[in-house]
Amino acid sequence: MPRSPRSPLLLAGLLATAGVAHFAAPRSFDATIPKALPGTPRTWTYASGAVELALAAGLALPKTRRTAALASAAFFVGVFPANVKMAVDWRHRPTPQKAAALGRLPLQLPLVLWARGIAKNEEGRA
């Protein structure tokens, strides 16, 4: 089933908002970076924010939309370990925070499918 023409722009808006948040409030994102990654958490936070902004721009432009949508799907898979780390780290927090951290985990699948759907919808439009 074809997606709404606004669907890529909505996902772009979500990614742009997340990207800006990585720069505006990096400390909260730093805490989600798995310790096994090389370098500093802040470097990963800023890199992730920059990638989100680039993906948002790519989704907003019809010429780069399909590639950006596929890259977005891969990105959502790639950041899943950070969401798992957050859920584990927040397991002793108050119930609303714990629920928010756990709730992020199953949301990754619809984000991956949304991005893949945008890519599929763009096939043959070039």
Side-chain angles (χ1 to χ4, degrees), residues 51-62:
V51 168
E52 287 170 324
L53 292 172
L55 291 171
L59 285 165
L61 299 170

Side-chain angles (χ1 to χ4, degrees), residues 40-69:
T40 67
R42 184 61 50 93
T43 299
W44 286 99
T45 294
Y46 286 156
S48 178
V51 168
E52 287 170 324
L53 292 172
L55 291 171
L59 285 165
L61 299 170
K63 286 188 175 199
T64 56
R65 186 167 292 150
R66 183 174 185 281
T67 300

